[in-house]
Amino acid sequence: MSSSSRRTSAVPNEQGDKALYSIITQTPGIPATITETRISNLQTGTSTRFFKGAYYREAIWLGIENLVIWLKDVPLEATEIWIADAVEPQANSYCAGRLAALASHLKVKRLRNEYDDIAIAVAGPATKAGNPYNPEADLTTGADGIHSNAIWYTTLRKKAIDNHSAAMRYLLSPTKWINALRGTGLESPLPALLGPADNFDISSSGIIFIAKDPTGHLGGFSNIESYYIPLKTFTELSSPRPQRIKVKDYNGTSSNPVFSQNGDSVAFLKKKSPTDQNDRNRIIVISRIRDFRAHVSIEDIPTRQSEKEWHLSPFSVAWSDNGKELYVVAIDRGMRKLFKIPAALSSIKKEPQPITSESTMPADVRHLRMVFSAPLESSYS
């Protein structure tokens, strides 16, 4: 039986001269998935191998120069955080820390504070007590094995390698990993293989995520809601309680939460009805999220059928770099199209028009600021 491969969208670095993408290969009968991550030189059109193996995953740009950060599976169901320079990965890669659980959905954000810390968050299982869940450890401690998904956060801070060297490395904070959902009764990402990567997002103002409302506030029906956790340092030992984002007259499912680039605003999708399967998504934008107080009224995007409704149902949304526009993917006449709309939804006076005419857009619009198709024919380094 032949192997099947898929290639992720190429994501550029901040300088715009390199892009990072992965080729993920699955062979029938072999449980391990092989990930090959490559660096595309956008000036020359060539690409080189960054790493390849069954234990390396989710390489992304750190946001500092050409540094790349990724997850590495290690024995006993743990995960290490690795960092390397994209130019010379073999010569300078190092382990920045680890989580005693199987982590996924790696996200980072530069905080630009006095230490130039990097906020880091992952999804990973947690025990009922809120600690990292590790099945290997459970076998030795006699734990009951009950666990749920959680969001773990901390920071990376630049430190000297030793007292005799000027070389610096980003290492995990001494506070280690903090469970953002400890004691809340919430679970995120949503169950089923840890859910999609767009279940949560981070920024310099905190964490936004979706989870089932455990209170069953709609007649016992557990709806999927958006929640916001305000954070400043990402080293807060006592994580602030998540605040449910209530939207007047909108009681349906929330999805796709995402921060603007500067962390000042949030966008997500939400339905009006919690039970109508044919209800469509609406775009919700909250400005000044740092001042959020658990209740907000919104105006929906104006559309062709009325000033307040759009005939399409978006399923992915992302911010422009300047925070003034939103990029939205929606199905129009059976074709997946990309739309650009003002983030100030009330300023829209007519139905948005697509900026693509063919179904060439990926389902997740978050990296559509620059999407490249890196060449595969280049020889491996």
Side-chain angles (χ1 to χ4, degrees):
M1 298 179 69
S2 60
S3 300
S4 60
S5 299
R6 63 181 178 87
R7 184 170 59 182
T8 64
S9 298
V11 180
N13 59 4
E14 290 189 350
Q15 296 87 340
D17 59 351
K18 297 179 180 63
L20 187 68
Y21 69 99
S22 294
I23 304 167
I24 302 171
T25 302
Q26 179 70 59
T27 301
I30 300 177
T33 298
I34 304 300
T35 299
E36 178 185 359
T37 295
R38 299 180 68 85
I39 304 292
S40 178
N41 186 317
L42 302 178
Q43 297 174 331
T44 64
T46 60
S47 72
T48 56
R49 179 190 292 175
F50 185 72
F51 63 65
K52 181 178 182 180
Y55 306 106
Y56 305 96
R57 300 182 286 112
E58 302 189 32
I60 59 176
W61 296 106
L62 186 62
I64 303 290
E65 299 174 341
N66 285 314
L67 294 180
V68 177
I69 183 171
W70 70 94
L71 303 178
K72 179 182 179 182
D73 297 335
V74 295
L76 303 180
E77 298 283 345
T79 307
E80 290 181 345
I81 312 297
W82 280 73
I83 297 175
D85 192 301
V87 178
E88 297 182 279
Q90 303 302 323
N92 55 35
S93 62
Y94 62 91
C95 177
R98 61 182 282 154
L99 176 67
L102 185 60
S104 64
H105 303 332
L106 173 65
K107 299 179 186 294
V108 294
K109 185 66 178 182
R110 190 174 181 180
L111 296 180
R112 300 186 185 278
N113 56 15
E114 60 178 313
Y115 302 106
D116 204 17
D117 290 342
I118 306 291
I120 177 173
V122 296
T127 64
K128 289 188 295 184
N131 301 317
Y133 169 74
N134 188 296
E136 297 290 341
D138 267 13
L139 293 175
T140 60
T141 61
D144 56 21
I146 298 176
H147 61 280
S148 60
N149 301 332
I151 300 170
W152 301 86
Y153 69 84
T154 185
T155 60
L156 293 160
R157 178 170 294 181
K158 186 179 288 188
K159 298 178 181 179
I161 296 177
D162 53 52
N163 295 331
H164 308 289
S165 172
M168 306 286 283
R169 288 181 173 180
Y170 278 97
L171 301 174
L172 287 186
S173 166
T175 59
K176 304 300 182 182
W177 295 96
I178 301 164
N179 182 353
L181 307 183
R182 182 190 294 271
T184 65
L186 299 171
E187 182 176 17
S188 185
L190 298 173
L193 299 178
L194 279 183
D198 61 5
N199 276 193
F200 73 98
D201 195 23
I202 69 171
S203 76
S204 57
S205 57
I207 300 172
I208 186 170
F209 65 95
I210 58 172
K212 282 189 176 181
D213 177 11
T215 65
H217 68 288
L218 293 174
F221 179 78
S222 296
N223 195 32
I224 297 174
E225 301 283 1
S226 294
Y227 295 83
Y228 169 59
I229 301 177
L231 296 171
K232 293 182 179 180
T233 67
F234 275 76
T235 56
E236 289 91 341
L237 292 176
S238 178
S239 179
R241 298 286 295 184
Q243 303 177 46
R244 182 161 67 91
I245 301 177
K246 303 174 185 178
V247 183
K248 185 179 180 181
D249 297 329
Y250 285 71
N251 297 315
T253 296
S254 297
S255 61
N256 210 142
V258 59
F259 281 103
S260 60
Q261 295 300 304
N262 62 9
D264 289 341
S265 302
V266 163
F268 60 95
L269 304 177
K270 193 167 181 64
K271 296 182 177 181
K272 280 192 172 183
S273 171
T275 56
D276 184 359
Q277 296 299 317
N278 295 318
D279 192 18
R280 58 186 176 275
N281 286 323
R282 278 77 167 184
I283 302 167
I284 310 297
V285 173
I286 301 176
S287 301
R288 301 185 301 277
I289 187 65
R290 301 172 201 268
D291 300 327
F292 177 71
R293 292 296 180 270
H295 189 277
V296 63
S297 297
I298 61 95
E299 292 185 1
D300 196 17
I301 183 171
T303 66
R304 97 167 42 148
Q305 286 147 323
S306 74
E307 274 190 72
K308 296 293 182 184
E309 295 185 0
W310 194 14
H311 72 294
L312 300 180
S313 181
F315 56 86
S316 185
V317 60
W319 290 87
S320 64
D321 281 341
N322 62 13
K324 294 182 178 180
E325 291 91 26
L326 295 171
Y327 292 98
V328 180
V329 173
I331 300 293
D332 184 16
R333 298 179 178 86
M335 301 178 67
R336 193 164 58 222
K337 295 182 180 180
L338 176 66
F339 297 79
K340 183 173 74 169
I341 63 175
L345 300 182
S346 60
S347 69
I348 303 174
K349 303 304 180 184
K350 60 182 180 179
E351 178 190 356
Q353 297 298 309
I355 59 176
T356 57
S357 59
E358 298 181 357
S359 185
T360 57
M361 293 298 101
D364 190 344
V365 72
R366 295 189 185 211
H367 297 310
L368 278 179
R369 292 187 301 273
M370 295 176 74
V371 174
F372 301 91
S373 180
L376 282 174
E377 60 272 15
S378 302
S379 60
Y380 288 3
S381 61

